[in-house]
Amino acid sequence: MRSYASLQLLSVFSLLLFVTCDSFARDEVWALTAFKEAIYEDPHMVLSSWNALDADPCGWSGISCSFAGDHVVKINVTGYSLRGFLAPELGQIKFLQQLILHGNNLIGIIPKELGMLKYLQVLDLGANQLTGPIPPEIANLISVIKINLQSNGLTGSLPPELGNLKSLQELWLDRNRLQGSVPASSSSDFTSSAYGMYASNTNLTGLCQASELKVADFSYNFFTGSIPKCLGYLPSTSFQGNCLQNKDPRQRSSSLCDHAPPVRTPRTTNPKQQHAEDLSNQQRRASKPAWLLALEIVTGTMVGCLFLIAFITALQRCKDKSSLIIPWKKSSSQKDHVTVYIDSEMLKDVVRFSRMELEVACEDFSNIIGSSPDSLVYKGTVKGGPEIAVISLCIKEEHWTGYLELYFQREVADLARLNNENAGKLLGYCSESTPFTRMLVFEYASNGTLYEHLHYGEGCQLSWTRRMKIIIGIARGLKYFHAELDPPFTISELNSSSVYLTEDFSPKVLSDASLYFYKQG
């Protein structure tokens, strides 16, 4: 009788294990689908095979699964110019070993949920446009061997918790906007070995604890202080282009260091306190009677299965919709099911106009000078100021998602950096909820585009002198975009339609982001 009962119990647990494994697979499909939804530009259609109705993602482009084919272990989508955000749901792919998204156009912040990937060995987010601080939760990647965050726009200080990564061998942080000192140790009483990492003081904190670290690059940031002795084995080029104390001509000039971005300290949690809470929760679970625990498991499993059935049914009723390049047109009839972290300080230095101000300047929004399916362009004059062109985005509040808000803020912050006589200038923005308003305020160029003058205007208007002035101005604008801005702007397509002319025929080169908004009829 006892053996029969044991056999029944074993059968129940086997069934629960099967259902649990199946739910894990569905969680991974859901996480991958959330990542695809956060991508609004996929010019090479690399994610076209990612079908949410397909329960097996192992055949999707860029996805590799385990030998048994039951878990996703690798995501490798490199160099496909994807533009969008890193979905926090990626942290739910618990058996993921490699996350390689190098060389895309990802924007926004690094989600702290990536720290949940305990089996992750390679994290490569290099050569994107990510901003914000490095989340301290990255230090929870206990299996990580390589972290590549180079060539982004990351700010803030370097989390000293990275020293807790005992398996870390490569750390690439070059070409960002990181600040503060390179966290090394709380004491200088240590000795270095061939790699400078084996300390005699057991109370060391920071990167001096990362005993396996062999390759690291901190160059072209805004780090201050001195090079930690425990990192002395690294080549000097690993620290060039910073604001370090050592007298090295390859460090940044004092003028550049004085204009470094402000340090922002991310909120951190106490690891000991978190461990104590986890331990307390485990003890409370362990104190429950076995029958009650089994009842909770069975009930939870049944509820989970019902939810999955409802979710799959809803998905089957949905028709696939082709993705559009323009993110404002992206369908979003439902509210975001993910948490989007908006950077509250991103636009703190950008002028914010009220809707009332712009309404007065543009004569009650009656002076329309251009339109497109996605925007209306008004001409106006700020009281005591210049002529302006106001681009009002045609979007309903119910279609506006958290991802679009983050995209809007990022583009406004990028456009606000432009400050050159031959670059299109953003004067400010308007963001209000009642009525729902998203507007961009540009400096008005009264003479239209170079294209219009070349193809539709009178030839005598473009004399040889004016043509040379336009050519030289365009060259200066391009030099500003590519050589004087940090990080630089990239003009992927320069043509006569992206060059606007002022009243005296001075050219204004619009960046890709400017041209994206500033398009008329």
Side-chain angles (χ1 to χ4, degrees):
M1 186 69 179
R2 179 175 298 178
S3 62
Y4 177 75
S6 300
L7 182 59
Q8 277 188 323
L9 186 61
L10 181 61
S11 300
V12 171
F13 279 119
S14 299
L15 179 61
L16 291 176
L17 181 62
F18 174 79
V19 175
T20 304
C21 291
D22 186 57
S23 66
F24 282 160
R26 295 188 186 281
D27 285 346
E28 294 176 4
V29 173
W30 171 72
L32 293 173
T33 302
F35 172 74
K36 180 182 178 180
E37 290 177 354
I39 301 298
Y40 51 79
E41 288 187 16
D42 182 9
H44 299 282
M45 303 297 290
V46 66
L47 303 183
S48 59
S49 62
W50 291 32
N51 185 359
L53 299 179
D54 185 359
D56 182 11
C58 297
W60 296 0
S61 176
I63 301 296
S64 299
C65 293
S66 59
F67 181 77
D70 54 351
H71 292 291
V72 174
V73 297
K74 182 178 180 180
I75 302 175
N76 185 359
V77 185
T78 302
Y80 286 103
S81 301
L82 297 179
R83 189 166 182 84
F85 304 89
L86 283 174
E89 286 83 355
L90 288 174
Q92 299 296 324
I93 310 178
K94 299 187 182 300
F95 293 90
L96 190 64
Q97 298 177 14
Q98 297 186 37
L99 178 59
I100 306 175
L101 301 173
H102 191 98
N104 288 290
N105 294 315
L106 299 177
I107 63 177
I109 65 172
I110 300 175
K112 64 180 181 180
E113 286 79 3
L114 295 186
M116 300 166 59
L117 302 174
K118 303 296 184 181
Y119 297 98
L120 193 68
Q121 298 177 7
V122 177
L123 175 63
D124 190 348
L125 305 177
N128 281 283
Q129 300 177 35
L130 299 171
T131 56
I134 299 175
E137 288 79 6
I138 294 296
N140 295 329
L141 301 176
I142 56 177
S143 302
V144 72
I145 298 175
K146 176 182 177 179
I147 295 179
N148 185 356
L149 303 177
Q150 65 183 183
S151 300
N152 280 285
L154 301 175
T155 56
S157 57
L158 190 60
E161 292 87 349
L162 292 180
N164 298 330
L165 300 175
K166 302 301 182 182
S167 301
L168 184 63
Q169 298 181 14
E170 297 184 32
L171 179 62
W172 302 91
L173 301 173
D174 52 294
R175 292 169 175 80
N176 282 284
R177 302 180 69 80
L178 298 170
Q179 283 187 274
S181 60
V182 178
S185 70
S186 59
S187 171
S188 59
D189 182 20
F190 61 89
T191 57
S192 59
S193 66
Y195 291 118
M197 286 299 181
Y198 298 98
S200 61
N201 188 339
T202 58
N203 295 324
L204 292 177
T205 59
L207 294 178
C208 289
Q209 283 185 304
S211 57
E212 296 297 321
L213 187 63
K214 297 178 174 62
V215 179
D217 194 344
F218 305 91
S219 61
Y220 298 103
N221 283 281
F222 291 89
F223 288 120
T224 57
S226 58
I227 299 175
K229 293 182 180 179
C230 64
L231 301 179
Y233 65 94
L234 296 174
S236 58
T237 54
S238 298
F239 295 94
Q240 67 182 356
N242 280 286
C243 302
L244 300 175
Q245 295 174 353
N246 58 329
K247 297 179 180 179
D248 188 338
R250 290 177 294 185
Q251 295 295 314
R252 294 182 186 271
S253 63
S254 57
S255 60
L256 291 176
C257 292
D258 291 339
H259 291 86
V263 177
R264 295 174 56 197
T265 305
R267 294 172 57 186
T268 60
T269 56
N270 189 335
K272 293 183 179 179
Q273 181 181 358
Q274 183 66 35
H275 177 71
E277 292 177 357
D278 294 343
L279 185 60
S280 176
N281 292 335
Q282 291 177 5
Q283 290 175 349
R284 285 198 298 269
R285 288 194 297 267
S287 65
K288 294 181 179 180
W291 65 269
L292 180 58
L293 183 61
L295 180 61
E296 290 178 351
I297 294 176
V298 173
T299 304
T301 303
M302 293 177 63
V303 173
C305 290
L306 291 175
F307 174 79
L308 288 175
I309 292 173
F311 179 73
I312 294 173
T313 303
L315 284 178
Q316 289 176 344
R317 291 179 180 179
C318 295
K319 293 181 179 180
D320 293 338
K321 296 182 179 181
S322 58
S323 59
L324 299 177
I325 296 300
I326 303 174
W328 321 114
K329 302 288 288 183
K330 186 172 182 179
S331 174
S332 178
S333 58
Q334 298 179 350
K335 295 294 182 183
D336 285 348
H337 61 274
V338 297
T339 302
V340 180
Y341 301 94
I342 303 298
D343 191 343
S344 59
E345 295 190 9
M346 188 181 296
L347 302 181
K348 67 177 184 178
D349 296 325
V350 184
V351 176
R352 181 172 180 173
F353 292 89
S354 68
R355 179 185 173 90
M356 182 64 69
E357 288 180 275
L358 298 180
E359 189 173 358
V360 172
C362 298
E363 302 174 7
D364 296 329
F365 296 125
S366 62
N367 192 6
I368 300 176
I369 61 173
S371 65
S372 75
D374 312 296
S375 63
L376 287 173
V377 185
Y378 306 99
K379 178 179 178 293
T381 304
V382 178
K383 185 177 181 180
E387 287 186 314
I388 58 174
V390 178
I391 292 87
S392 177
L393 303 181
C394 299
I395 187 76
K396 294 183 179 180
E397 184 175 6
E398 57 267 26
H399 294 160
W400 189 261
T401 67
Y403 284 124
L404 293 184
E405 179 65 25
L406 188 55
Y407 173 85
F408 177 78
Q409 292 193 6
R410 170 60 195 270
E411 294 302 329
V412 171
D414 274 351
L415 292 172
R417 294 194 301 130
L418 304 182
N419 186 19
N420 183 272
E421 62 179 353
N422 295 119
K425 184 174 181 58
L426 179 77
L427 301 178
Y429 73 104
C430 176
S431 176
E432 294 186 4
S433 56
T434 307
F436 185 79
T437 304
R438 294 295 184 274
M439 294 180 175
L440 300 170
V441 183
F442 286 93
E443 185 180 54
Y444 179 68
S446 59
N447 249 332
T449 66
L450 178 60
Y451 178 89
E452 294 169 348
H453 284 274
L454 290 175
H455 297 278
Y456 303 114
E458 299 178 4
C460 61
Q461 284 189 316
L462 290 182
S463 63
W464 179 252
T465 303
R466 284 178 176 174
R467 290 173 186 262
M468 287 301 298
K469 179 179 181 178
I470 293 171
I471 292 172
I472 294 174
I474 292 174
R476 288 173 176 170
L478 291 177
K479 179 184 177 183
Y480 173 74
F481 282 129
H482 293 275
E484 299 177 17
L485 278 177
D486 183 22
F489 265 88
T490 300
I491 306 298
S492 60
E493 183 178 356
L494 178 65
N495 53 44
S496 56
S497 296
S498 61
V499 178
Y500 279 75
L501 301 176
T502 63
E503 186 175 359
D504 63 349
F505 286 88
S506 294
K508 297 281 187 179
V509 181
L510 296 188
S511 67
D512 293 341
S514 302
L515 194 59
Y516 178 81
F517 293 112
Y518 202 163
K519 52 185 178 181
Q520 302 181 15

